[in-house]
Amino acid sequence: MHHTDSIRTTTGRGRSTAPRLAGLPVDAVFLAAVFLAAVFLSGCSDDPAPGPTAGAGTASEQGQAPTAPRPPDHMLAADPRATPNWFEGPRADWPALVATHDADLRGFGTLDGGVGFLGRTREGELIAVTSNWYVSRDAGLSAEIDLAYFEQLVKRWELRAEERADGSRDPGAVRVTGRARSGLEVPGADLLLLSARTVDDAPPPCAILALSERVPAVGEQLVVVGAGGLVVDTRLHAYAPGAGLAFDLPAGTPVDGLLGGPVLDANGAAVACVTALDWDSDGDVPSAGETVRAVAQALRPFLLAPPPLIGTAVRLDNPGYDQVAFSKDGSLMFMGNAVLGGAAVVTWPDALPFAGADLPKGEGAGAFTDAGWLVTAGRGGTYSVFDTISRTSLVEGDTDLPVVTAICVLDERHAIFGSSFADRCLLVDLAVGATLEQFDFGATSFALSPDGAELAVGGADGAVFCLRVRRDSTGSLLTDPTELAGHAESVVALAWSRDGDLLASGSWDDSVRVSRRGSGEELWSVTGASDVNDVWFDDAARLWVATGSTEEVDGVRAPTACYVRVFRGLDGLELMRSHDQPTPVVALIDRTEALDESGTAGLDTRVLGLTVGPDHFRWTAPAP
């Protein structure tokens, strides 16, 4: 949620905390480095039901972040479930009880006092809902701790009933499992949806609410439910940024135990979760007669989002590298940054240093030949052929490009060089260092088809070309350029499907396009909330997309929409999406493994998402 400086939150103990700025509170030094890099680059049952929730995101982006003052029309659709108007019933029958958190975190002690509630989707999945920021802060953790890291800290996380005024307490508890949804395409969202199950088949400690996919209308009557049986009537005042709902609570409303509680509509269904409270006085609690303003996060974007892509944290030394290339046998990995001019080669999969000081200085773009030679290039247009066995440069040469930012090796002798700073690309004979051909379009990315017969070229101006690759000894090596549907900004990522039938392109105009080979027909496109930095097809024809950028929010540069997303290649249905990363995901590294030793269960796809920061994630998508 994009909060103003006056917004505060409270804990179950009545404490207050400093206001939260919109976006992620990234270290200032790191932000400065990211900003400089960005400037450079801009020029160049009770058991949860398995499977996706209703309305998984598609190429139409139904989970897109709304803008104030009104969410998109599709978010205002009515929930068709027929339930009685429970405002007319006795209050004693209202589902007024929410529960408190009890979590044991590795190395951080015990977290308690957080408020949450239980709900069930229309598919029957049982979910615990809580405020992300409130839960993590109370444990002494960063206010914007990364969700996947937070999951790894949890040894035990249960939802337990709050004692009622008469001292009674419902039996049982609900234990939260590892699957979670957070953020997605709602900027600054402060919400967690976690799959849940009852402990030892005990009755749940609080009512299980229906989770509504609708967003209430301005002026609509609502009920806010807090811990201890607190029920507050209100009406929706306005829409807040990021699918937020803003409303006032009556003067004298207790604030203890409201944060993290559900907002219910007239059908008794939860439509939102309270994520921020504010009042005019400076006290930890509002003064007598003082109106409390509240913001709640609408549940709809989360419930319609695709299921989470599961990831585990990986540490890898990566000082700003945004390019990745593997040797043919997969034993070596090149990482570099062409604009900043740094590179290193590590062994794989143990990621031990192999070559760094031995590489030519200032050459941060790289590609391996089939024989294992490494072709590097970079600032000043210089290039080298590096022998990974002798760790020496075999060939050194120059082009007339100001900076080489992309390389594609066509065979052991020929490579094509492109630059985001020039309107041309060059075909070079590596053996003699001669430029054979020049093409009058800039090139920021290349992709050679699996059969080696077509070369896709992405340009700094958004154009996408396909060229035929001749394998005989006569005539030009690259012929018949065909222009495909392009983008509005630099095309920084290209990928062919494994059968060579589909070509995907990703751009800094926040979009992905998929075209069919031969005809160039565009099959689908999708626009996200941030730069597209890398694309890759797996064996199941699923397209993996890495996104993320840094943007200025309230005067502070912060990461925006840093995800890994997985789409069905033929029609663009979004199948899975990762949690929001703390830094942009700049590259995807393919590491598919057979998880069943018998080989009969198929392959789970494991992909390493390389980020700007030191923390990376290995994402796992189950075999279809």
Side-chain angles (χ1 to χ4, degrees), residues 500-560:
D501 187 49
L502 304 178
L503 175 64
S505 58
S507 169
W508 283 348
D509 67 359
D510 305 347
S511 70
V512 175
R513 296 182 185 273
V514 173
S515 304
R516 190 176 296 279
R517 183 178 181 177
S519 66
E521 171 196 5
E522 182 180 310
L523 297 180
W524 59 271
S525 64
V526 60
T527 300
S530 186
D531 293 347
V532 175
N533 301 317
D534 201 6
V535 292
W536 172 78
F537 280 101
D538 64 17
D539 287 331
R542 297 177 296 197
L543 179 65
W544 294 61
V545 179
T547 71
S549 60
T550 57
E551 298 180 6
E552 186 168 315
V553 180
D554 295 340
V556 178
R557 291 203 66 87
T560 301

Side-chain angles (χ1 to χ4, degrees), residues 402-587:
V403 180
V404 176
T405 57
I407 302 174
C408 183
V409 172
L410 301 179
D411 53 41
E412 296 302 313
R413 182 162 182 161
H414 300 96
I416 185 167
F417 296 94
S419 174
S420 56
F421 299 93
D423 57 358
R424 61 195 181 280
C425 55
L426 308 175
L427 177 65
V428 174
D429 184 331
L430 298 174
V432 296
T435 298
L436 302 179
E437 292 186 71
Q438 175 175 300
F439 299 91
D440 295 329
F441 44 80
T444 50
S445 56
F446 298 107
L448 190 62
S449 62
D451 60 6
E454 282 198 48
L455 175 69
V457 182
D461 60 355
V464 177
F465 291 91
C466 273
L467 296 90
R468 290 182 55 200
V469 181
R470 296 174 61 98
R471 295 299 177 182
D472 56 39
S473 58
T474 62
S476 173
L477 183 64
L478 297 173
T479 63
D480 305 327
T482 301
E483 186 169 2
L484 307 180
H487 297 261
E489 296 185 30
S490 294
V491 180
V492 296
L494 291 166
W496 294 92
S497 59
R498 299 302 174 92
D499 60 6
D501 187 49
L502 304 178
L503 175 64
S505 58
S507 169
W508 283 348
D509 67 359
D510 305 347
S511 70
V512 175
R513 296 182 185 273
V514 173
S515 304
R516 190 176 296 279
R517 183 178 181 177
S519 66
E521 171 196 5
E522 182 180 310
L523 297 180
W524 59 271
S525 64
V526 60
T527 300
S530 186
D531 293 347
V532 175
N533 301 317
D534 201 6
V535 292
W536 172 78
F537 280 101
D538 64 17
D539 287 331
R542 297 177 296 197
L543 179 65
W544 294 61
V545 179
T547 71
S549 60
T550 57
E551 298 180 6
E552 186 168 315
V553 180
D554 295 340
V556 178
R557 291 203 66 87
T560 301
C562 305
Y563 309 122
V564 174
R565 306 171 67 180
V566 183
F567 298 90
R568 194 160 60 195
L570 285 175
D571 58 13
L573 174 68
E574 186 167 8
L575 303 173
M576 288 167 282
R577 188 184 309 176
S578 75
H579 65 278
D580 196 352
Q581 292 281 94
T583 57
V585 185
V586 294

